[in-house]
Amino acid sequence: LTEEHLHRVFSEFGTVHSVSMSKDPATGRHKGYGFVEFEVPEAAMLAMEALNGTMLGGRQLRIGRPNNYNVAVMQGFPPPPPERIYVANVNEAISEDVLREIFGPFGEVSACVLAPDLSARRHKGWGFIEFAQAAAAEQAAAAMNGLSLANVVLRVRPSVVGGPLGPGMAALDEAAQVPQQVADMAASVSQSIAEAGPAGSAVVLLANVVGGRSEVDDELASDMAGEGLKCGRIVKVVVHIASDEELAASGNLSAEVSIFMQYAEPAAAAAALELFDGRWFGGRRIAARLFDPDRFRVVTSADTMVFIP
């Protein structure tokens, strides 16, 4: 199984942001586990409910939250309204109006929105339906989950978080289309800036990968190297645990653990910056930036958690 296989399987439940399988840098093979990040929490809940214990590639899947999953994060979101359900794996030919009609027999539908893909000018295959009554939502989720609609199996469950619904497909009418020439120019400028970095640095700093030194294990550096090798040859990966003096000087008490990835070429570091920055890993959002190579040598000179692929 590859990350592409997992991406296809899990996309049935919602938009997949990333798939990261931990790999052994020596053999290039995955270690039998990994992480899947979705765009919305409802998709993750559906995937866990539907796939845990099922067979894939000759093995029984074991699916759950990461060990460092912070329940308090979910508690910070607005509570889900009982009248709202999440619907995924919607055929691209099904419109919001058609979906509203299909779910109408369960009760009055007060809102039906599908998540728009602004670049492709179509919906992403998932959205939310809100009924006037909570009982209608409960019945619809129970009856429609697993139903075949337009040759694909619907995935339906109660919503996980609340808050206002977006405009849905109406956002396509409101969004101004960017000319392709402008988009290409913007991408070129962004790439040039990324490649320049501090003196064309080949060193990438990853922050917020773990919550603190208690979450660091012997495989952290090799796991990150397995993902980072997609961008080019890595010289070494260093897990740096900041001293009390460093934390006090930076004023950022959450930056206890940093991961440095030194590449052989600046272009590879620029690609890694694009790969990692803003990416979710184990329930945390990584912050990546290029780092000055001279400072890198000073900061990590006494570090012992070094992995060389």
Side-chain angles (χ1 to χ4, degrees), residues 25 35 41 51 97 107 137 153-155 190 206 210 242 245 249 260 270 290 297 303:
F35 300 92
L51 295 180
D97 290 338
V153 177
L154 283 181
R155 300 295 184 178
S190 299
L206 305 180
V210 295
E245 292 78 10
F260 292 94
L290 296 178
R297 284 188 283 271
D303 288 321

Side-chain angles (χ1 to χ4, degrees), residues 178-190:
V178 178
Q180 188 60 43
Q181 183 179 1
V182 175
D184 292 343
M185 186 178 299
S188 176
V189 170
S190 299

Side-chain angles (χ1 to χ4, degrees), residues 10-40:
F10 281 85
S11 291
E12 184 174 325
F13 305 97
T15 302
V16 174
H17 262 322
S18 65
V19 178
S20 175
M21 298 182 73
S22 181
K23 295 182 180 179
D24 185 337
T27 64
R29 296 180 179 180
H30 66 75
K31 299 178 181 178
Y33 69 91
F35 300 92
V36 179
E37 298 282 354
F38 287 96
E39 189 166 333
V40 291

Side-chain angles (χ1 to χ4, degrees), residues 81-85 103-109 129-144 156 158:
E83 302 85 6
R84 185 181 299 175
I85 61 175
F103 279 83
F106 293 98
E108 181 186 348
V109 176
I129 297 175
E130 196 162 298
F131 292 88
Q133 302 293 329
E138 184 179 350
Q139 293 172 8
M144 299 297 283
V156 187

Side-chain angles (χ1 to χ4, degrees), residues 35-210:
F35 300 92
V36 179
E37 298 282 354
F38 287 96
E39 189 166 333
V40 291
E42 286 85 358
M45 293 293 291
L46 265 177
M48 288 191 290
E49 294 164 355
L51 295 180
N52 187 37
T54 61
M55 300 297 293
L56 181 65
R59 292 189 177 185
Q60 190 175 37
L61 292 178
R62 298 297 183 192
I63 303 176
R65 296 292 189 185
N67 291 334
N68 62 350
Y69 174 69
N70 189 352
V71 178
V73 173
M74 286 297 296
Q75 293 173 344
F77 287 101
E83 302 85 6
R84 185 181 299 175
I85 61 175
Y86 171 75
V87 183
N89 210 29
V90 180
N91 189 299
E92 64 179 41
I94 301 296
S95 67
E96 290 174 336
D97 290 338
V98 171
L99 202 61
R100 180 189 287 266
E101 269 188 58
I102 291 171
F103 279 83
F106 293 98
E108 181 186 348
V109 176
S110 55
C112 177
V113 297
L114 289 170
D117 185 331
L118 298 181
S119 59
R121 310 289 296 177
R122 64 187 182 192
H123 66 71
K124 296 181 179 180
W126 59 268
F128 295 92
I129 297 175
E130 196 162 298
F131 292 88
Q133 302 293 329
E138 184 179 350
Q139 293 172 8
M144 299 297 283
N145 185 39
L147 178 76
S148 178
L149 177 63
N151 298 319
V152 293
V153 177
L154 283 181
R155 300 295 184 178
V156 187
R157 78 169 323 278
S159 62
V160 175
V161 297
L165 292 174
M169 297 302 287
L172 296 183
D173 299 327
E174 300 168 3
Q177 287 187 283
V178 178
Q180 188 60 43
Q181 183 179 1
V182 175
D184 292 343
M185 186 178 299
S188 176
V189 170
S190 299
Q191 181 66 20
S192 298
I193 294 173
E195 289 179 355
S201 176
V203 179
V204 179
L205 167 63
L206 305 180
N208 201 40
V209 177
V210 295

